[in-house]
Amino acid sequence: MNLILKITLAVNLMLFGCLSSFAGDVSIKITKKYLNLPVSQKENRSKMTFETDGKQERTFVIRLAGDAPDYWVFADVSALKGKTIKISYDGNPDGLAKIYQDDKKADEDTFYKEKNRPQYHFTTQRGWINDPNGLIFYDGEYHLFYQHNPYEREWENMHWGHAVSKDLVHWQQLPEALYPDHLGTMFSGSAVIDYDNTAGFNNGNTPAMVAFYTAATPDKQTQCVAYSLDKGLTWTKYDKNPVIDSKAKWNSVDTRDPKVFWYKPGGHWVMALNERDGHSIYTSKNLKDWNYESHVTGFWECPELFELPIDGDKNNTKWVMYGATGTYMLGSFDGKVFTPEAGKYFYSTGDIYAAQTFTNIPDSDGRRIQIGWGRIQQAGMPFNGMMLLPTELTLRTTKEGVRLINVPIRETEQLFEPVHQWKSLSSDDANNKLKEFYAADRLRIKTTIKLSHATSAGFNFFGQRIIDYDMNGNTINGVFYSPQDRSSMELTADIFIDRTSIEVFIDGGIYSYSMERKPNNDNKEGFHFWGNNIEVKNLEVYAVKSIW
Ligand code: FRU
């Protein structure tokens, strides 16, 4: 045998040995609701497949823990009861033997009690979340679907997770709504109620909740439809999906995030869809066949388009169009073409991303309610990301013209209990008063500061700059800000602190921002107003209830 042949054989043996030890399968007859799976961030991601009756039922990637898991995740298999699942794994198979079924999710008793669990913001029980999807009010309930990786605290395997609430404050997590399929993973989208059965999905008097989502593969993104007749619990995907495949037209993989709404004056459906370099408008009579109408460049991901009264006057409205960063244009819309007239402006900056507004809010309510994804790391937790506080969007005439105003919805008020209010303090006094709150994991603080000698002033929390106002340079935390009263020396802030996040609403929501709460442990100064001779004109502290 020559040397080369020997080496090849040896390499083959090594490879073969290696491959066979890095793949495996196990079969489990399902008698319980959940399969609990151990995860270790040290392991590589590898493909796992569930097969029943020789057919692939689910496939995803997971870092299955070979030895001690960092945390456990769960897969709801209640729909497969009585069947035998063959679980195949392409990676280190040592963890396969640890997978077990149970009627409880692993560690369920510790859910919402974790050290870094946000206390008044929605987070998911396990895994990663990003964009809110399919925000819709129906039959007394608000539905929050969301981009979800149920199997790891990082982005992958996009599903639509699902939660419901009666008040937009307290949420109940429900089973996954949309699972990846042969067309791709489930990227962002929206939902409507098809009261007039335009799509033909309704069942007698039960109108279908119809969802629009992007099915994504690495080289293509198409728009698809699914419907639910049981309030979003179970979904049927339309058998002629995808309904829009526009990759070739745009010579781009980036065609995604359909936002659909009913356009009453035209009696048709409208879809705003991000395609390559902006938002396109499509129309439809039946939610299945879509006609391309127009395109506005200058937006990236997650389109929104809605009409709002100016200063509350229903006879004087503008349309708002925004993308994932929230920068918006104001304009007019005739059902087919959005004509930009002003903007782009911003109303909120920081960690907010991919915000969406609710559809199907009753006319008697009439609010435009928004939820944004908070790009906040939940350090060391088996879950990651969060939803920011729900806010109401309105249009108001300001000294610069009509602008979008953003304030937490009134339902959030039930969370806050006033503890103290002080007027007209020096910064030293204010800092002393706040000492008793250093250890609070959550708090709401309303304050008005007045500058006199200083050109800049602000408010720190253990070294983190919650407010850094430069009156001279006209910036707040580095972003341009000019108060409505041009000669004002005052600034008002409504500050919402949770365990891992901070949201700040300036001067009644004319500007807002959000950030990760990152206290510097070496810094001992606690809450700290700063600025030469500033007056803390108003200081209110509220205790915050937990929503869990
Ligand atoms: C925005 C986004 C969307 C996409 C989704 C994927 O955060 O990139 O455009 O649909 O996230 O998770």
Side-chain angles (χ1 to χ4, degrees):
M1 220 197 282
N2 70 33
L3 190 60
I4 294 196
L5 189 59
K6 258 201 240 161
I7 291 174
T8 323
L9 257 183
V11 168
N12 276 343
L13 271 174
M14 263 165 56
L15 263 181
F16 181 71
C18 209
L19 278 180
S20 62
S21 75
F22 269 81
D25 58 69
V26 63
S27 289
I28 300 180
K29 178 158 187 212
I30 299 301
T31 56
K32 313 254 180 187
K33 279 193 195 157
Y34 304 108
L35 279 180
N36 289 309
L37 306 128
V39 173
S40 165
Q41 297 296 135
K42 290 192 298 284
E43 298 282 352
N44 289 326
R45 283 178 177 160
S46 294
K47 189 163 107 178
M48 178 170 280
T49 305
F50 292 179
E51 259 176 53
T52 49
D53 306 325
K55 270 201 349 235
Q56 180 177 306
E57 208 277 329
R58 257 171 240 187
T59 181
F60 51 89
V61 294
I62 184 168
R63 300 178 194 270
L64 196 65
D67 45 37
D70 293 331
Y71 54 91
W72 290 79
V73 296
F74 59 88
D76 187 328
V77 286
S78 45
L80 304 174
K81 266 194 191 160
K83 297 198 170 177
T84 297
I85 305 188
K86 182 177 161 199
I87 306 173
S88 322
Y89 188 53
D90 284 356
N92 177 359
D94 294 352
L96 281 172
K98 298 197 181 94
I99 298 175
Y100 70 97
Q101 59 174 323
D102 199 348
D103 283 329
K104 283 178 95 178
K105 302 163 184 169
D107 297 327
E108 190 174 284
D109 300 339
T110 65
F111 287 3
Y112 306 116
K113 296 183 188 133
E114 302 92 340
K115 178 168 166 280
N116 282 343
R117 174 74 73 175
Q119 291 299 293
Y120 60 108
H121 290 85
F122 177 79
T123 47
T124 191
Q125 292 170 343
R126 284 292 178 268
W128 161 276
I129 62 178
N130 54 290
D131 317 353
N133 295 150
L135 298 184
I136 192 162
F137 177 80
Y138 179 59
D139 206 10
E141 285 178 327
Y142 298 90
H143 292 262
L144 163 64
F145 300 93
Y146 54 91
Q147 290 287 279
H148 188 206
N149 180 3
Y151 304 114
E152 195 188 320
R153 50 166 280 122
E154 301 300 334
W155 187 90
E156 247 300 347
N157 302 312
M158 282 298 115
H159 291 54
W160 276 29
H162 187 196
V164 286
S165 172
K166 291 208 181 307
D167 62 4
L168 286 161
V169 171
H170 299 89
W171 294 96
Q172 182 197 355
Q173 184 169 324
L174 297 175
E176 295 305 294
L178 296 176
Y179 286 83
D181 60 30
H182 64 287
L183 292 172
T185 52
M186 303 289 103
F187 273 21
S188 286
S190 56
V192 298
I193 304 292
D194 188 11
Y195 290 105
D196 295 333
N197 200 20
T198 62
F201 296 141
N202 293 5
N203 182 12
N205 289 332
T206 307
M209 182 183 286
V210 185
F212 303 84
Y213 60 91
T214 300
T217 66
D219 60 15
K220 198 174 199 179
Q221 298 175 347
T222 54
Q223 316 320 317
C224 298
V225 177
Y227 65 93
S228 169
L229 296 167
D230 57 3
K231 302 182 180 178
L233 276 181
T234 59
W235 292 84
T236 306
K237 287 175 176 161
Y238 177 44
D239 54 10
K240 298 202 179 62
N241 278 338
V243 295
I244 300 178
D245 177 349
S246 56
K247 177 183 174 173
K249 174 181 162 94
W250 294 92
N251 183 28
S252 172
V253 186
D254 297 304
T255 56
R256 61 175 175 273
D257 308 338
K259 171 75 202 226
V260 174
F261 61 92
W262 176 247
Y263 183 69
K264 216 173 174 182
H268 62 79
W269 298 100
V270 172
M271 178 192 292
L273 182 67
N274 188 258
E275 297 189 298
R276 194 178 67 193
D277 53 5
H279 293 345
S280 301
I281 301 296
Y282 287 78
T283 56
S284 174
K285 286 278 181 200
N286 61 8
L287 295 172
K288 297 167 174 169
D289 304 304
W290 291 92
N291 300 315
Y292 172 82
E293 304 285 358
S294 60
H295 187 73
V296 179
T297 48
F299 290 111
W300 174 247
E301 304 186 321
C302 304
E304 259 294 1
L305 178 60
F306 50 86
E307 188 179 23
L308 279 180
I310 299 171
D311 302 321
D313 179 359
K314 291 209 166 79
N315 299 316
N316 183 21
T317 66
K318 282 282 170 229
W319 286 76
V320 180
M321 180 178 263
Y322 66 66
T325 57
T327 50
Y328 64 98
M329 296 180 191
L330 297 175
S332 54
F333 182 61
D334 65 2
K336 295 184 173 175
V337 179
F338 172 78
T339 308
E341 293 163 2
K344 295 183 278 187
Y345 307 119
F346 58 81
Y347 67 98
S348 194
T349 65
D351 284 328
I352 189 171
Y353 199 74
Q356 191 180 93
T357 68
F358 277 84
T359 50
N360 207 39
I361 297 285
D363 285 346
S364 55
D365 179 324
R367 286 177 297 172
R368 187 51 62 170
I369 300 169
Q370 181 195 65
I371 293 182
W373 166 38
R375 287 182 291 185
I376 305 277
Q377 286 290 322
Q378 313 294 357
M381 292 291 101
F383 57 89
N384 213 351
M386 67 194 289
M387 295 303 162
L388 296 176
L389 287 177
T391 57
E392 181 181 358
L393 300 178
T394 51
L395 285 181
R396 199 196 301 160
T397 308
T398 72
K399 75 181 198 296
E400 277 84 22
V402 177
R403 293 291 186 278
L404 204 52
I405 311 293
N406 181 42
V407 286
I409 54 166
R410 58 173 178 262
E411 287 87 338
T412 60
E413 290 297 333
Q414 63 185 293
L415 291 168
F416 310 115
E417 278 172 354
V419 181
H420 277 304
Q421 176 164 23
W422 299 279
K423 297 267 183 197
S424 206
L425 300 174
S426 70
S427 53
D428 282 350
D429 283 347
N431 294 341
N432 278 329
K433 304 267 188 227
L434 290 179
K435 275 194 175 140
E436 64 173 289
F437 303 103
Y438 284 6
D441 65 339
R442 55 191 192 268
L443 216 53
R444 175 184 184 186
I445 298 179
K446 282 198 214 180
T447 188
T448 302
I449 54 175
K450 186 171 167 63
L451 286 65
S452 55
H453 298 50
T455 60
S456 61
F459 185 47
N460 290 5
F461 184 40
F462 289 100
Q464 182 170 14
R465 296 220 153 175
I466 296 181
I467 305 171
D468 180 353
Y469 178 46
D470 181 340
M471 182 270 293
N472 208 23
N474 285 289
T475 56
I476 295 181
N477 292 32
V479 176
F480 182 79
Y481 181 72
S482 164
Q484 286 306 294
D485 171 358
R486 290 181 181 82
S487 58
S488 168
M489 298 296 279
E490 290 186 12
L491 189 81
T492 294
D494 199 352
I495 303 163
F496 298 84
I497 300 174
D498 200 343
R499 286 187 180 165
T500 58
S501 63
I502 301 174
E503 285 150 283
V504 184
F505 295 83
I506 297 291
D507 290 343
I510 203 158
Y511 173 52
S512 55
Y513 51 97
S514 46
M515 61 180 104
E516 204 166 301
R517 177 179 175 179
K518 280 187 190 155
N520 170 358
N521 291 331
D522 303 329
N523 184 300
K524 303 279 179 269
E525 75 184 4
F527 286 108
H528 185 73
F529 285 96
W530 53 274
N532 187 9
N533 270 315
I534 63 161
E535 179 191 347
V536 179
K537 275 188 80 173
N538 182 46
L539 181 59
E540 286 168 64
V541 178
Y542 297 80
V544 187
K545 290 180 199 146
S546 172
I547 61 169
W548 304 120

